[in-house]
Amino acid sequence: MTFILGLTGGIGSGKSAASTWFEAQGITVVDADIVAREIVEKGQPALQQIHAAFGDWVLLDNAELNRRALREHIFKDPNARKVLESITHPAIRQSIIQQLQAATSPYVILVSPLLFETNQHELTDHSLLIDATEELQIQRASQRDGQSIEQIQKIIQAQMPRQKKRSLANDIVLNDGHLDHLYSHLKPLHNAYLQRSKQKKAVD
Ligand code: ADP
């Protein structure tokens, strides 16, 4: 089995910037956010289970998931959130495992904003945190998404505190300079991961 790196960081920390750099080095990246959307696409078993659990209102006329209605529903009803997550979490995990196993690059990356929160780090051999101050997170995320500072602060508060993530991660890159500064920190880590992957393959 290939060496698997878990890549995480709070909103606006620079996870996507880092994973794009790794992809340019030929490393396959599995994105947990993309997987979470794929498993509820039209015709997917998880969407059929959500339909069965919640009823017809959860589907749009074109049989796609009515994300907005579902979001509002689980916001009002914590039990409904549990039901939803009991359907989506195992499906996400299974799909992530399949995609990680199918990868043929020297090592493979699982990028997830909730790597530790959802125990997805258990699927990985090693973790890398892209870290940034809250001030930088807010500045970058608001420029990227046009969201208000309050909205971004709410998302930051719902995520695991920065210090806790720092205590759990194996490697940490502080993304507090230009992008070239970020890349210069990623390069030696990439070389180390290539080595780790060779060692892992030799043992297998
Ligand atoms: P995340 O995926 O962690 O939410 P992104 O990688 O999308 O964060 O970064 C948020 C925004 O900030 C993006 O527009 C990205 O291009 C920009 N960005 C990230 N790191 C830097 C940096 N070191 N210097 C300048 N802009 C950056």
Side-chain angles (χ1 to χ4, degrees):
M1 180 75 187
T2 312
F3 176 76
I4 302 171
L5 175 73
L7 176 64
T8 192
I11 180 172
S13 61
K15 281 180 305 299
S16 305
S19 62
T20 302
W21 184 88
F22 282 110
E23 271 180 325
Q25 317 308 310
I27 302 304
T28 299
V29 174
V30 177
D31 185 324
D33 278 346
I34 295 177
V35 175
R37 287 196 291 272
E38 284 171 354
I39 58 117
V40 291
E41 275 170 11
K42 202 157 139 178
Q44 290 297 314
L47 183 57
Q48 287 163 9
Q49 288 169 29
I50 292 169
H51 183 198
F54 292 97
D56 287 343
W57 63 265
V58 87
L59 295 183
L60 295 165
D61 288 345
N62 64 5
E64 282 181 9
L65 181 64
N66 188 340
R67 289 172 181 280
R68 173 185 272 199
L70 186 58
R71 203 181 310 123
E72 281 167 12
H73 184 67
I74 62 167
F75 185 72
K76 280 184 271 181
D77 181 354
N79 196 47
R81 176 186 292 274
K82 280 195 194 134
V83 172
L84 177 66
E85 289 180 348
S86 74
I87 297 169
T88 55
H89 283 184
I92 292 168
R93 208 174 172 87
Q94 197 189 357
S95 179
I96 285 175
I97 292 169
Q98 277 169 358
Q99 293 189 32
L100 290 172
Q101 284 176 346
T104 54
S105 61
Y107 65 94
V108 53
I109 293 179
L110 169 61
V111 57
S112 173
L114 303 174
L115 187 76
F116 298 121
E117 289 92 327
T118 57
N119 290 330
Q120 285 168 349
H121 69 287
E122 290 167 358
L123 305 174
T124 69
D125 296 296
H126 198 85
S127 58
L128 167 61
L129 172 70
I130 307 298
D131 190 29
T133 61
E134 195 169 307
E135 199 184 347
L136 272 175
Q137 282 182 272
I138 292 170
Q139 185 188 320
R140 288 180 187 147
S142 61
Q143 270 170 15
R144 183 194 55 192
D145 307 332
Q147 279 181 312
S148 71
I149 291 174
E150 290 73 28
Q151 279 168 323
I152 296 161
Q153 265 168 339
K154 253 192 208 158
I155 295 171
I156 292 174
Q157 272 155 23
Q159 294 180 334
M160 183 182 275
R162 192 178 160 203
Q163 287 311 324
K164 176 85 180 151
K165 277 192 276 223
R166 287 183 66 93
S167 73
L168 292 171
N170 297 118
D171 294 322
I172 301 170
V173 167
L174 184 61
N175 180 19
D176 63 349
H178 293 294
L179 282 169
D180 281 343
H181 178 77
L182 171 67
Y183 303 153
S184 73
H185 284 287
L186 297 180
K187 184 119 212 319
L189 289 172
H190 172 59
N191 288 332
Y193 301 148
L194 287 172
Q195 281 303 319
R196 289 281 302 263
S197 128
K198 269 191 204 151
Q199 284 161 4
K200 191 170 180 208
K201 281 184 182 137
V203 172
D204 280 352

